[in-house]
Amino acid sequence: MRRRRLRTALTGLVLATTALTALPAAAPPPAAQAGPVTARPAVAPDWSVAVVDSTMARYTPTTIGGWSYPVGLYLYGQYLTYQRTHDARYLAYIKSYVDRFVKSDGSIGQSFDSLDSMQAGRLLVILHHETGQDRYRKAAQKIRDRLTTFPRTSDGGFWHADTASRAHQLWADGSYMVNPFLVEYGREFGDSAYTDDEAAKQMSVYGSHLQVANGLLRHAYDESKSASWADPQTGLAPEHWCRAVGWYSMAMVDVLDAIPANQPRRSQLLSIFRKLAAALEKYQDPATGRWFQVMDKGDRSDNWTETSCSSMFTYALSRGAQQGYLDPHYAAVAQRGYQGVLARLSVGPDGRTDLADISVGTNVGDYAYYVGRTRATNDFHGLGAFLIMNEQLRGD
């Protein structure tokens, strides 16, 4: 019955994203009244709805961009907002985007030769769940099947991409690009025996290489130690780039939420996560509640607090405390992060939201490279992470 209603809503809905209503202006103050007036508590704005409506007003499903992980991340956040609000426009928009790439027979024009290209596959699983249309299963299965031949390190970690420039490399980013898709695919299509084990293995392998003594993860690891950025002894990248660590943090929560309590690697994953959480608390900026672009060098004048990773860490710490993966006090650490991110959100003169200080897409580099990255407004990395965070914390 639910799927039938959704199909009806999707069929009957006409997308008019270019003419979406802007956020309402603040109401004028009431006229002066005689006698006492009872003050009413201010109602916090629904920032998820505001961000989604603003973004849908800026882009149609055709102009939002190609098949990519930043758009996929944003639309996953939009789906979380849909799940709460049941606003049919939000799901129809996602479907219109995906249907640009998935044909009626389930074919999809992607080679899936990089983990980055797999992240938007979560939308395929979502649309199958919501509509029951088999073409989304067929498209998602192409990613699942690609993983059987995808190149790996000697201990089984997926390379970041099947290209010469990424050969033998594990990037913390990649942990989020494939593992949430895996566990969700397994749950939707009855393949969890494989997908849960694979996702737990990937998080274990990535964590064992990337996490260092201070609890944080380096951006990347090269098993061949031949990359220009790789330490000749360890193969590790030189810095702790915040969004790379953020990707891993969110992936860890998603995987722990999915795998069974008796999964053999669960205790190791919890150990990695708890060590990481302690480091996140240590390196959180006490002045703003956010985290720095290069995480452990916040004392440098040219470093800056970055909004997407701050949203990611806030989500992971809040969810981790809620689920019992972390000590309950991390909920307070997350609340400081949440208020810090909200301080970067504003409403412009056009009535639409603006989310500031988001690092654009980034390769592996040195300190100067990271702090020199463009600080964008409304970049999809930040918008998607914000929505995921806000749907977790908005009710606190």
Side-chain angles (χ1 to χ4, degrees), residues 141-212:
Q141 187 176 343
K142 185 174 180 179
I143 301 175
R144 162 69 172 86
D145 292 345
R146 179 68 181 92
L147 291 174
T148 62
T149 60
F150 203 81
R152 301 173 183 246
T153 57
S154 61
D155 52 357
F158 291 132
W159 290 5
H160 193 59
D162 189 5
T163 61
S165 63
R166 302 290 184 264
H168 312 288
Q169 296 173 21
L170 308 179
W171 293 25
D173 320 43
S175 62
Y176 189 81
M177 302 303 155
V178 67
N179 293 308
F181 163 80
L182 266 174
V183 294
E184 290 161 8
Y185 178 96
R187 183 167 57 240
E188 180 71 10
F189 301 114
D191 196 19
S192 292
Y194 162 72
T195 59
D196 288 357
D197 181 69
E198 184 71 84
K201 176 181 180 178
Q202 294 301 321
M203 295 303 295
S204 170
V205 170
Y206 274 61
S208 67
H209 286 296
L210 296 172
Q211 191 172 47
V212 297

Side-chain angles (χ1 to χ4, degrees), residues 71-373:
V71 177
L73 177 75
Y74 164 74
L75 290 175
Y76 175 75
Q78 180 165 310
Y79 177 67
L80 296 180
T81 309
Y82 162 76
Q83 285 188 300
R84 175 173 58 83
T85 64
H86 306 293
D87 187 330
R89 296 178 306 142
Y90 298 169
L91 184 61
Y93 187 103
I94 296 168
K95 186 177 185 299
S96 293
Y97 166 80
V98 171
D99 287 353
R100 291 168 49 200
F101 308 100
V102 179
K103 296 180 181 178
S104 59
D105 63 358
S107 59
I108 180 171
Q110 303 291 324
S111 60
F112 298 115
D113 285 339
S114 71
L115 299 186
D116 286 351
S117 68
M118 299 178 186
Q119 191 281 334
R122 297 180 88 177
L123 304 178
L124 303 173
V125 179
I126 284 167
L127 289 173
H128 180 271
H129 185 76
E130 294 290 353
T131 71
Q133 294 181 18
D134 196 51
R135 61 172 166 158
Y136 301 119
R137 178 194 61 80
K138 292 177 179 177
Q141 187 176 343
K142 185 174 180 179
I143 301 175
R144 162 69 172 86
D145 292 345
R146 179 68 181 92
L147 291 174
T148 62
T149 60
F150 203 81
R152 301 173 183 246
T153 57
S154 61
D155 52 357
F158 291 132
W159 290 5
H160 193 59
D162 189 5
T163 61
S165 63
R166 302 290 184 264
H168 312 288
Q169 296 173 21
L170 308 179
W171 293 25
D173 320 43
S175 62
Y176 189 81
M177 302 303 155
V178 67
N179 293 308
F181 163 80
L182 266 174
V183 294
E184 290 161 8
Y185 178 96
R187 183 167 57 240
E188 180 71 10
F189 301 114
D191 196 19
S192 292
Y194 162 72
T195 59
D196 288 357
D197 181 69
E198 184 71 84
K201 176 181 180 178
Q202 294 301 321
M203 295 303 295
S204 170
V205 170
Y206 274 61
S208 67
H209 286 296
L210 296 172
Q211 191 172 47
V212 297
N214 66 6
L216 298 175
L217 281 71
R218 296 289 178 84
H219 188 171
Y221 161 77
D222 177 13
E223 185 176 40
S224 71
K225 303 182 176 71
S226 62
S228 60
W229 45 259
D231 182 283
Q233 276 72 51
T234 67
L236 288 171
E239 301 291 353
H240 305 292
W241 178 47
C242 71
R243 191 159 67 227
V245 184
W247 289 125
Y248 187 87
S249 302
M250 290 204 302
M252 180 64 83
V253 170
D254 288 349
V255 171
L256 287 172
D257 279 354
I259 62 175
N262 62 354
Q263 214 287 333
R265 290 187 173 87
R266 190 177 186 88
S267 61
Q268 182 197 7
L269 298 187
L270 286 169
S271 178
I272 292 170
F273 189 27
R274 289 164 182 165
K275 186 177 179 182
L276 173 57
L280 294 179
E281 182 176 18
K282 175 181 178 181
Y283 291 107
Q284 185 179 33
D285 179 24
T288 66
R290 297 186 294 274
W291 282 265
F292 286 93
Q293 173 80 331
V294 179
M295 297 185 65
D296 60 335
K297 295 174 180 173
D299 57 341
R300 299 196 184 183
S301 60
D302 55 347
N303 207 350
W304 47 284
T305 58
E306 199 276 334
T307 302
S308 69
C309 77
S310 297
S311 299
M312 293 172 173
F313 297 144
T314 295
Y315 164 76
L317 293 173
S318 174
R319 181 69 177 171
Q322 181 186 64
Q323 294 290 88
Y325 310 145
L326 304 176
D327 186 87
H329 89 272
Y330 284 105
V333 181
Q335 268 298 327
R336 292 194 292 273
Y338 187 46
Q339 296 305 316
V341 172
L342 289 177
R344 284 288 178 259
L345 183 66
S346 61
V347 177
D350 58 359
R352 299 174 184 170
T353 57
D354 290 309
L355 188 65
D357 287 349
I358 304 164
S359 175
V360 296
T362 298
N363 291 319
V364 182
D366 58 13
Y367 175 85
Y369 171 75
Y370 291 119
V371 298
R373 300 302 286 159

